[in-house]
Amino acid sequence: MTENFEPTIIGFTCNWCSYRAADLAGTARMKYAPNVRLIRMMCSGRLDPTFVLRALSGGADGVMITGCHPGECHYIEQNYKALRRYLLLKRVLKGMGIEPERVKLVWASAAEGAKFASETTLFVEEIRKLGPLNWGKPTERLDDLQEEISKTEEVPA
Amino acid sequence: MSEIKQERVGVYVCHCGSNIAGVVDVVDVANWAAEKLKHQGVVIAREYKFMCSSLGQELIEKDIKELGLTRVVVAACSPHLHEKTFRTAAKNAGLNPYLVELASIREQVSWVHTDKAVATEKSKAVVSGAVSRVIENVPLEELKVPINPNTLVVGGGIAGIQAALEIANAGFHVYLVEREPSIGGHMAQFDKTFPTLDCSACILTPRMVEAGTHPNITLLTWSEVEKVTGFVGNFNVTIRKKARCVKEELCTGCGICEEKCPKKVIDDVFEAGLGYRKAVYTPFAQAVPKYPVIDKANCTYFLKGTCKACEKFCPTGAIDFNQQDELVNVEVGNIILATGYDLFDARRVSNYGYGRLPNVFTSLEFERLSNAAGPTNGNIVLRDGKTTPKSVGIIHCVGSRDKNFNNYCSVICCMQGLKFAHLVHERTGATVYNFYIDMRTAYKAYDEFYQRVLEEGTLFVRGKVAEVTDAGRNEREKGKLIIQVEDTLAGKQRRIPVDMVILSSGLQPRADAKEVGKLFGISCSTDGWFTEKHPKLDPVATMTEGIYIAGCAQGPKDIPSSVAQGAAASARVLDKILQKEVALEPVRASVDQEMCSGCRICNGLCPFNAISFLEDRMVTEINPALCQGCGTCVAACPAGAISGTGFSNEQILAQIDGLLLRNIEPVEA
């Protein structure tokens, strides 16, 4: 069943390190698995764990969080806060019956384009082994989807 | 339902020549966006060869005006390259620049994937994410903060001196911090400079004096930066002024203390271990400032509690054994780091015998040896201090272009080796061999110098030296240093006996470059050099606004390039100062105090002290000038009372849905 399975992965990247690492991988034309779609944030510390849950419930099979190496955070120490939340989130996921391995934290500096590329490919393979998450794939719940779309489109006053 | 949205979105897909269009079907992406994202508010989707060209920008500007676009998505390169370009275009057309989003389909798609169908699908998802997100964008205004006109220059080598002088001459104040007792850096140690053979001291010391006496320069030698807080325009820097044990206001620099000091110490900094200094000393005669320093680790008084010869003889009573380190606090708007390099430790190449074979010298040792003010008064002699060598071998690329040590080329060693060859030839008449891998003499008048040295009769052997040994095999080799090398041009092994070997050691980052980088919030490359903002187009700026780099701290370079970078960095700083204020990205967190429960969870999270708690109203407040926009508090607030502009929950959640294609109009099954 999983042989032709192409996982969809959402990546949350830090603007200062890993997003630039992704840029560098691009500039150097390094090839990696095309399954990851990135969201840029100013810091891995910005990662609200609900973002991860939203991604997983919205059809992603895995979530990759990338930040600066410990001690190299652009905002001094906020990546440690990301680390704490990540560890807690993994416990929560386990409690919910979701493999905690579907979420991965990777440290990649702006100079580590090669690491970004190889970690991405590696993570895609790991998720491929786990198989699809099938948590609220949009095609399964069209009506719910409509409702949710309307919610997200509401602009708070 | 799809009528709820009032936004009118324009999507622009860039071909980037064939960079994107070669892998991604851009026409398909644009058509898909126009059709599937129509209900989201996409009113127009175009593709164009170069969106960043003026024609491409005009296309967007025209659509904003004529179609009344309220949001723009450009699917092109990384936002780090052209975000500003398209934001400016939007601004020109009367649209708030923060209502533009870039979808990176070059760095993140076409350059890293090969399958055209997969790349096109991913591009659609990335565009969809950007469209969903941009709808949630809100108009923002840049924050303007005033720029403190003072500048901090760290490192008093030639690059730092140049930078400090340029800014000071323009009429602004500079704090020049130097770790050693005197400014001057490595250049002060050299005898001659290539390719002109100018006397290094003769051209450097006037600059040093100028920096030392300039009314706009505060010189802080024997000092190190300890703490940096704040941000561009408003840095607060704590500098540790180490105790000199000499009162600067009383000292006249007469040098009697140095003369009377009974303690001789090997000078392994300025004299590269070849000469002596006293325990109270100025590193060299033209030192700026002229005040000496007491070396507490070697001073007899500090070791044994008696002596005080310097105090006894000082005519002005300037010696103060009780002086303590002083912490100086300065406020500056910009910082230039010109912290220089360390010489590669030639001991690491054990087969060249440095440290084991006495007559193997490093390049810096040879500089001191050939310097008229050096320990031998400029006589080029062997380690015994009297014998003039009859033959000298100069080995290039020691520790550079070598997988065992540093992969990079140290840039200066070829020209340095040629300069040494010329000096040895001129002063001793010895036979000189140069052992090189490749001769690299780029730049003005450099190759002409190579030709000159060739004509002088210096011998060149192309090949990497395998070994330097004192184990002679025959009479000819006895008592000599034998250089074993494969002559790759002649295609044979050679053993060349010489009296003296000079290792043209490479340059490497300062041992503490990483810590210094961390202190100032900038990063180092994998080799350890400070990383510039852009390797070609922004070589002196860094990723951190207000911090600039110059000279060898950024990578190996010669004196002209160091001076050029020092001047370039100062031009960037002057540009900032003259603008009087700096526009900061309006990515900031703010608290909706109606929603704040006063739980104080966020209070401990901010490393910039931007969050404060208002005890009287039991709510939290964020100071926008101190907030750096990381968003950690936004993610932490359990009440959802903190919002982060530019990266709001609404934007990110919408982008997640968009990337997962949850926003496309469900097609009839």
Side-chain angles (χ1 to χ4, degrees), chain B residues 167-206:
Chain B
I167 297 169
N169 285 339
F172 298 101
H173 200 85
V174 178
Y175 298 95
L176 179 56
V177 176
E178 166 60 49
R179 180 185 280 180
E180 297 297 329
S182 167
I183 57 170
H186 279 106
M187 191 177 167
Q189 294 170 276
F190 301 160
D191 177 37
K192 297 278 186 283
T193 55
F194 59 73
T196 50
L197 300 174
D198 285 304
C199 153
S200 189
C202 312
I203 56 176
L204 173 68
T205 48

Side-chain angles (χ1 to χ4, degrees), chain B residues 41-52:
Chain B
V42 173
V43 291
I44 184 84
R46 295 183 195 273
E47 29 80 32
Y48 187 69
K49 209 153 185 61
F50 289 104
M51 287 311 309
C52 61

Side-chain angles (χ1 to χ4, degrees), chain B residues 13 38 118 146 152 169 193 210 223 227 251 256 286 303 380 410 445 458 472 478 484 487 540 581 608-609:
Chain B
V13 187
K38 196 173 173 185
V118 172
L152 172 73
N169 285 339
T193 55
E210 202 186 335
S223 302
K227 199 174 152 205
C251 176
I256 290 177
Q286 304 97 322
L303 292 175
I380 297 170
S410 288
T458 296
K478 209 173 163 194
Q484 172 84 46
D487 184 335
V540 294
E581 54 180 19
F608 307 103
N609 298 320

